[in-house]
Amino acid sequence: MYSIEPLQERMEDNQNEEKAQKMAQYMRNQFSFYGIQAEPLKVIMKEHIKQEGIPSPDEIPAVVKVLWSKEEREYQMVALRLVDEYIKKYGIREQEAALIEYMTVHKSWWDTVDHIAGKHASRLFAEYPHLLQTVGKEWRASPNIWLRRVMILFQLKYKEKTDLQLLEDIIRENTGSDEFFINKAIGWILREYSKTDADWVQDFMDRNDSLSKLSRREGLKYIKKHVN
C-alpha cells in the first residue's frame, strides 16, 4: 500500500516557523504552512518518489485525497506534483476528470487551481476533446468560480491549437462577472494568446466592449509592449 508517512516525516523535519508565517500571510492566512520553500520541497518530493514511487492508477485518487486533507499547504503542492508524475508515467484517463474536479473545488485558491488548469485539465481535454461536451459544459455552467477559471485557462499553452470559438464562448459566458479571479483569468488567457495572434485578440477586444477593465488591461499588456 502506498505510504505518505515518510513524506510527512520529511516535511516535519524541514519546517521553518518564520517562513511558515510569511507564506501564510502571502496566502491571506487561508492555509497553514510548514514553511518549506519551492526548491527544498522539490528535493523532498524526489526523495519521496525514490522511496515510494508513483501511485498506481488505482491508488492515485485516494493518495491525492489524503494529501488534500492535510492542513499544511505543502501537502497540496506535493499532491499536484504527484499527479504530474503520474501523468508522465501512466498518461491520463477520462475518469481522472473526477480527480481534477475534486482538487479544483476543495481548498481552492489560485496556486492549486492554475496548476490544475495548465497541467491537468489541459492534458485531459487535449486527449479527450469529447469531454468538452460533457464535463467541460458542466464546469462552464458551475457556480463554482474555480471550475470556471479552469475552463477559461485550460487552453493557456495551446497557442495555435487554441479553439478560438470555444475560447470566445467561454469568455462571453463569464463577461460581467464581478469576481476578481474570473476577470483576471480572462485577461491572462487573452494576453497569452496575443503572443500567438495579436490581431485576433485586438479584434476580440474591439468587438466586446463589456469586458471588465481588469480583463482588458491584462489582455492588452503584451500587445501594448511588443506590437506597434
Side-chain angles (χ1 to χ4, degrees):
M1 183 177 292
Y2 198 87
S3 175
I4 65 164
E5 289 183 9
L7 172 68
Q8 185 167 337
E9 291 175 3
R10 291 186 179 98
M11 294 278 214
E12 292 171 351
D13 288 343
N14 284 273
Q15 58 187 316
N16 182 309
E17 183 60 33
E18 182 180 351
K19 289 179 180 177
Q21 290 180 3
K22 291 180 180 178
M23 292 165 82
Q25 289 172 359
Y26 179 70
M27 298 296 284
R28 300 184 184 178
N29 294 308
Q30 294 191 89
F31 311 103
S32 60
F33 289 82
Y34 279 125
I36 305 172
Q37 294 180 306
E39 287 306 313
L41 192 60
K42 286 182 182 178
V43 173
I44 291 172
M45 267 291 299
K46 288 181 180 178
E47 292 172 347
H48 174 72
I49 291 174
K50 185 176 180 181
Q51 180 175 343
E52 295 294 327
I54 306 298
S56 71
D58 289 337
E59 294 171 321
I60 191 69
V63 171
V64 168
K65 288 178 182 179
V66 168
L67 291 169
W68 226 261
S69 72
K70 297 290 186 181
E71 184 177 355
E72 290 81 10
R73 192 59 165 171
E74 286 90 346
Y75 285 112
Q76 285 88 67
M77 298 297 104
V78 167
L80 293 176
R81 270 64 182 191
L82 270 183
V83 174
D84 293 348
E85 296 302 318
Y86 166 85
I87 292 173
K88 288 179 185 177
K89 182 173 182 178
Y90 295 106
I92 192 166
R93 304 170 299 170
E94 290 187 40
Q95 54 263 51
E96 257 86 73
L99 183 60
I100 291 171
E101 181 171 338
Y102 180 89
M103 293 188 295
T104 301
V105 302
H106 291 85
K107 297 187 177 179
S108 310
W109 201 241
W110 60 264
D111 59 334
T112 53
V113 171
D114 292 356
H115 187 105
I116 292 163
K119 297 283 189 177
H120 307 154
S122 61
R123 180 74 177 269
L124 179 76
F125 291 127
E127 296 201 16
Y128 307 103
H130 65 276
L131 290 180
L132 288 166
Q133 302 304 316
T134 53
V135 173
K137 281 190 174 181
E138 290 178 7
W139 293 357
R140 284 166 64 178
S142 174
N144 186 291
I145 67 165
W146 301 105
L147 285 173
R148 299 208 313 276
R149 184 171 168 105
V150 165
M151 293 308 297
I152 294 168
L153 294 177
F154 82 90
Q155 295 192 89
L156 192 67
K157 299 299 181 181
Y158 279 20
K159 298 181 179 179
E160 68 278 355
K161 295 181 180 179
T162 300
D163 183 331
L164 293 176
Q165 186 59 59
L166 177 62
L167 177 60
E168 190 164 338
D169 290 345
I170 290 173
I171 290 175
R172 283 178 173 160
E173 288 168 3
N174 288 280
T175 298
S177 172
D178 59 0
E179 287 287 352
F180 171 84
F181 289 107
I182 292 295
N183 291 323
K184 185 80 169 181
I186 291 171
W188 186 11
I189 188 70
L190 289 171
R191 181 176 76 246
E192 191 65 22
Y193 188 66
S194 72
K195 299 173 186 178
T196 299
D197 190 342
D199 290 340
W200 185 91
V201 172
Q202 185 65 67
D203 178 67
F204 179 82
M205 293 278 194
D206 293 343
R207 290 185 286 109
N208 290 273
D209 294 336
S210 56
L211 285 173
S212 72
K213 291 181 180 179
L214 174 60
S215 297
R216 190 172 295 277
R217 182 171 66 250
E218 291 294 320
L220 289 172
K221 276 184 177 179
Y222 181 82
I223 293 174
K224 287 183 174 180
K225 186 174 182 180
H226 296 277
V227 179
N228 293 323

